[in-house]
């Protein structure tokens, strides 16, 4: 990377970092490109050079958050020795990272505000599919090792992702411990189910 490219990347990161703080402080809708320009000293034209629009800028901020999340998880996963432990670890990391994170409420506002925006929805699906692909590989690893029975890893990964993000709305009024306990119970239920052995056998006859 030459000096010009390095300077351009530094400017892009400067814009994104300032925008993140403004989004957190003012909310998504109330933050304008002009606000970001004033905060950074970067002209609006230069901001639009790096980001097509405010939506693209916020998605970049979310992508950086996602990358940071994954980098932190890759460091933490070394302490887990089985796929089952890793699934519990992912849930715990999800809760700790998301709970009271300043971008959480802004992201909710953003996706509600832009729910009819095709570009935004496509970017959201891209992020979701990346997460699902990761979970699919992890579940398939557990099946290959014999830790889990053979099944449709992609389908299970979609259920797992829905479980994590669906519980997020349920936990808004819970404290951290209650939230962690709920997620741990949810992962156990995902892995082991709730039907008794006798009930499973009787349904097969």
């Amino acid at each position: 990377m030459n000096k010009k490219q390095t300077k351009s990347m530094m400017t892009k990161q400067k814009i994104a970092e300032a925008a993140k703080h403004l989004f957190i402080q003012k909310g998504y809708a109330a933050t304008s490109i002009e606000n970001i320009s004033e905060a950074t000293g970067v002209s609006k034209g230069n901001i639009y050079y790096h980001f097509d629009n405010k939506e693209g800028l916020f998605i970049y901020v979310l992508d950086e958050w996602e990358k940071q999340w994954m980098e932190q998880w890759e460091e933490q996963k070394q302490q887990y020795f089985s796929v089952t432990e890793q699934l519990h670890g992912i849930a715990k990391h999800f809760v700790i990272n998301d709970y009271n994170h300043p971008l959480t409420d802004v992201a909710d506002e953003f996706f509600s505000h832009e729910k009819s925006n095709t570009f935004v929805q496509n970017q959201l699906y891209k992020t979701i599919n990346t997460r699902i692909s990761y979970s699919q590989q992890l579940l398939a690893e557990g099946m290959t090792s014999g830790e889990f029975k053979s099944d449709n890893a992609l389908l299970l990964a979609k259920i797992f992702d829905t479980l994590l993000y669906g519980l997020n709305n349920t936990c808004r009024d819970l404290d951290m411990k209650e939230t962690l306990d709920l997620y741990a119970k949810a992962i156990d239920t995902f892995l082991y189910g709730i039907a008794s052995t006798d009930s499973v056998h009787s349904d097969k006859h």
Side-chain angles (χ1 to χ4, degrees):
M1 186 180 291
N2 59 40
K3 289 183 178 180
K4 184 177 180 180
Q5 290 172 322
T6 300
K7 183 178 180 180
S8 178
M9 179 56 67
M10 290 176 63
T11 299
K12 185 174 185 177
Q13 290 301 123
K14 177 181 178 181
I15 295 167
E17 189 65 23
K20 180 179 75 172
H21 290 296
L22 285 170
F23 286 136
I24 291 170
Q25 179 185 354
K26 297 166 63 70
Y28 173 74
T31 300
S32 67
I33 293 295
E34 184 174 355
N35 295 148
I36 298 167
S37 176
E38 291 173 352
T40 58
V42 177
S43 69
K44 289 194 289 184
N46 203 0
I47 293 174
Y48 284 121
Y49 170 79
H50 291 285
F51 303 98
D52 291 337
N53 46 44
K54 189 172 78 165
E55 295 94 325
L57 173 51
F58 190 74
I59 287 172
Y60 182 87
V61 169
L62 292 182
D63 284 344
E64 290 296 294
W65 181 19
E66 189 81 11
K67 288 176 185 176
Q68 184 183 52
W69 191 100
M70 186 55 70
E71 288 171 0
Q72 292 171 345
W73 165 245
E74 288 297 330
E75 293 177 1
Q76 293 180 28
K77 70 179 288 189
Q78 307 305 321
Q79 65 185 295
Y80 302 110
F81 299 102
S82 68
V83 176
T84 297
E85 289 178 350
Q86 286 187 55
L87 292 175
H88 274 285
I90 287 173
K92 183 178 180 180
H93 179 52
F94 178 87
V95 171
I96 293 174
N97 183 270
D98 192 67
Y99 194 86
N100 288 334
H101 194 287
L103 275 174
T104 299
D105 289 339
V106 190
D108 289 344
E109 180 201 352
F110 172 71
F111 287 116
S112 175
H113 188 272
E114 301 291 343
K115 60 185 176 182
S116 61
N117 187 318
T118 303
F119 169 75
V120 169
Q121 293 304 314
N122 286 340
Q123 292 301 310
L124 174 60
Y125 295 143
K126 181 180 177 181
T127 300
I128 290 172
N129 287 332
T130 298
R131 292 197 307 257
I132 289 174
S133 178
Y134 181 87
S135 298
Q136 180 185 2
Q137 293 175 22
L138 189 59
L139 289 163
E141 178 185 325
M143 294 173 196
T144 300
S145 68
E147 188 174 343
F148 304 144
K149 67 180 181 180
S150 181
D151 207 325
N152 187 324
L154 176 58
L155 186 61
L156 290 174
K158 289 180 178 179
I159 294 171
F160 181 70
D161 187 75
T162 302
L163 180 66
L164 290 183
Y165 285 84
L167 282 174
N168 186 46
N169 293 322
T170 306
C171 298
R172 295 300 173 91
D173 297 328
L174 302 181
D175 62 29
M176 175 69 82
K177 183 182 183 306
E178 290 173 320
T179 302
L180 286 169
D181 288 344
L182 178 59
Y183 270 80
K185 179 65 176 178
I187 301 305
D188 281 339
T189 304
F190 170 77
L191 291 169
Y192 308 116
I194 60 174
S196 67
T197 303
D198 291 341
S199 174
V200 172
H201 287 314
S202 65
D203 285 344
K204 291 182 178 179
H205 298 290

